[in-house]
Amino acid sequence: MQPASVVERCRTIGGGVSRWLAVAAALLVGRLATATEPAADPAFFTERVLPILEARCFECHSHGAAIEGGLALDSAGGWRQGGDSGPAIVPGRPDESLLVRAVRHLDPAVTMPPTGRLPDAEIATLVAWITAGAPDPRGGDSPAPRGAVDVAGGRAHWAFQPVADPTPPPVADGAWPLDDVDRFILARLEGAGLRPAADADGHAWLRRVSFDLTGLPPSPAEIAAFVADTSPLARARVVDRLLASRAFAERQARRWLDLTGYADQMGTSNDVFAEHAWRYRDWVIGAFDADLPYDSFVRAQIAGDLLPAAGPEERAAGITATGFLVLGDVEIVAVDKHKLDLDLVDQQVTKVGTAFLGMTLGCVRCHDHKFDPVGLEDYYGIAGTFASSRSVHKIPVGVWSKVNEVELPESDRQRAERLLRAEEHAERTADLKRQRERLDEQRRALDGRIEKAVEREAARGGEPAAEEDKPSVLLKGERDRIASEIGRLDRDITHAEFFAPRVPRAFAVSDAPAPADMAIRIRGNHRAPGRVVPRGVLRVACQGEPPTMPPDASGRRELAEWIADARNPLTARVAVNRIWQQLFGAGIVRSVDNFGTRGEAPTHPELLDRLSTDFVRDGWSVKRLVRRLALSRSYAMASAPPVAADPADRLLARMPRRRLDAEAIRDAVLAVSGRLVESRGGPALPLEIVENAGGLTDTVNPPSFRFARFRREQEFVRTLYLPIIRSAPQPGPARLREVFDFTPPATFAGTRSQTVVPTQALFLLNDPFMKARAADLARLVLEARPDRDGRLAALWIRVLGRPITAEEAADAGALLDSVSAGSADEPAAWAELCHALLASNEFLITL
């Protein structure tokens, strides 16, 4: 082949001319070299080995181009140190050297170069060199890997600095602040030449605080009591009442569930019910209701099964809390079970990073973080604790897996109650079986009668009788009816036996029998293990020495203790920032799930630290923090128009107007229409309805759910208690969630998007739920007062939480007259007016 044709061929292949000439040179050197050349001679490396490395490897494994997998081959120190898989070469032992295994293509997960196997002559050259001890005259030092994680330098970022306890700054207007919170806010405003907005009026404040704390509007009675209370403690009494209500815990729980990927469905691709998921949801509600200290809240969800407990109920609560780690989008139908295990570990690391630490850790499965001082050692150090835990297991049905289930300990009272229920259930099941036996006897008797009737009819020959009047036909119809009833009883019996009362279970984790450190997965490939890293924590967030992981346990408890430690610079800040967002519409750090270098800097860093310090000092009490913020002067400001000097309101010169989220919209509609029904929790999926559960005896697929019928009360309970489905639009009574930006249950997010699209208006105007509730509201108003003015006043207070204006009363009266054609009391006219108010911006927005 002529030189010109070689160059042309290289251009056709697509590689650079210089690269392919280097390959040709390496091949030429390989052909001309004699077998008698000593491999231990440094010249052997320079003349024969180095050209191969330059031509075949440097494109991906050198500082001049890239360092894939952390392996650099442009220095002796590079191959000695190795990459993610450890040292690339073991001098004197080629068969144990990863480099040789890679170029021989012995392992499909690690093949180098990826474009094709090296010629045998080049492999033989590398083997000879390594056999001779791999002499490398380039020296032993390796340049520092480009882009290596600088943990020490990374601690300069504000989020990794220790939490401070700053003194509130002085302010010019000393009469305005009610709390140190207000001093921090006012000082920034005064520094920018701004003034805080005027105070919101009482009705607006009451509606705001009611929705923010409970997700529900104030009732007419609550509004009247607040207006009548003229004492300085009026607002404090309101806040205390709201904090003491179960509605507060329900509201907080719904916000938290957005960070967990919670659903009542196992995985996404199949309709497999997660029959125990509701226990975790109810545990979260109970934790907020009891004001469980936030550090304990953290520990329980990571390691509740490993914590000491005072009794069986506390032990059961700790186990249930670890549902946090497994109630995500688990692909239980995955064929590759090893990949399933590591995908779930990845989900657990990501969820812990997002929810508790405000860090994006998922990308570190494949490589060091591109922006934050977080490396593979951090990710796999944390992942090792979860890989040392039982989270999912294969079941003997097809290719399916299932999330780990744990039997919950019972108190004596709970056990006695369950046994009583089981006895009653067994009697009902036995009665079903007795009914089936009686029907089976009737069917057998009919079979005999039918046989005799057919014989008699055949003996009579052509007796003139209509076909449907023949005795055999009538008897067969009766037999078919009985057979259908037997089929129904069979389904009822199967359902009753499947769902018989048993020892309660929860989706939870437990320690694996043989905890171990985890190997890095090269580029995140579950079948490409690299070097093993010790279990650990996020190094950049360590204040002092990291915890020591026990050899005989997963390390989840140690990880939980480290996260919940008051010295952790992230945990309290992230929690306080989330609570601030709940009340003020945006966090002090607006990127509430990302405190890393690509997240937003805090608008009031000193305030964030002071609140975080006080949060810990106050026993990590969520209720105390919420109370403090809700009673601040800053929270009481009116939602005035933005000012030109601060259009995004980052300095908080006013309160923002905020649209209610999906749950608050639906729950508020139920509340003002008088149809909201209290629930104490329990299963969201109505699986006790026989038609809703299928495949209970299937030996190929696990049992599944469908929505043939809902419980009647589910149309009226809070949205929190409705089923959450991943594989389809939100069902039945929960359909409003689908329209108003509900967080997809396969994700973890502390902030919901807020869209404004035509489908939302169309839903509010046309959905049967909205029309039915408008009619309910109209009936309430008509029954409350005999006169139009009284009814309009009551309607405005109930729906909008404020008195009606004269102009609004005139407009409403005109609407009633136009719809009812002069009959102002006609229910249809009032239903139209009520529907208009329920779809109005003011109803959907807190001021």
Side-chain angles (χ1 to χ4, degrees), residues 383-408:
T385 64
F386 299 126
S388 297
S389 303
R390 287 175 168 167
S391 296
V392 67
H393 60 272
K394 174 76 174 65
I395 59 175
V397 177
V399 300
W400 299 87
S401 296
K402 192 170 189 179
V403 166
N404 196 47
E405 293 181 6
V406 179
E407 282 194 354
L408 298 177

Side-chain angles (χ1 to χ4, degrees), residues 646-821:
D646 185 23
D649 197 33
R650 291 181 178 273
L651 299 182
L652 203 66
R654 60 188 176 90
M655 282 293 284
R657 297 187 176 206
R658 289 175 284 156
R659 194 189 71 192
L660 303 179
D661 58 29
E663 293 88 345
I665 293 173
R666 180 179 174 276
D667 295 351
V669 170
L670 288 170
V672 300
S673 63
R675 299 305 300 266
L676 184 63
V677 173
E678 183 180 358
S679 173
R680 304 304 294 183
L685 290 171
L687 297 175
E688 72 280 7
I689 299 173
V690 177
E691 304 96 294
N692 290 344
L696 302 183
T697 58
D698 196 332
T699 58
V700 177
N701 299 298
S704 59
F705 66 85
R706 54 182 175 270
F707 292 107
R709 285 194 294 132
F710 280 90
R711 304 183 193 109
R712 185 179 182 280
E713 70 273 13
Q714 285 187 296
E715 184 73 19
F716 309 111
V717 297
R718 292 198 73 170
T719 314
L720 169 68
Y721 296 110
L722 296 178
I724 297 175
I725 305 303
R726 293 192 178 95
S727 61
Q730 298 304 307
R735 55 191 175 271
L736 184 145
R737 284 194 302 224
E738 198 72 20
V739 181
F740 285 94
D741 306 310
F742 181 66
T743 298
T747 61
F748 320 129
T751 303
R752 291 191 182 182
S753 59
Q754 193 168 105
T755 61
V756 179
V757 293
T759 50
Q760 294 164 348
L762 292 172
F763 178 93
L764 294 172
L765 293 174
N766 298 298
D767 190 83
F769 170 79
M770 296 297 296
K771 293 182 177 180
R773 301 295 78 79
D776 291 335
L777 176 58
R779 281 192 291 272
L780 275 180
V781 171
L782 289 171
E783 293 169 0
R785 298 286 292 271
D787 60 302
R788 173 187 283 191
D789 290 342
R791 289 169 177 173
L792 288 174
L795 178 61
W796 250 249
I797 283 289
R798 178 175 285 275
V799 177
L800 302 182
R802 63 168 176 83
I804 190 172
T805 67
E807 184 180 3
E808 288 169 335
D811 290 342
L815 173 64
L816 291 170
D817 290 340
S818 66
V819 174
S820 63

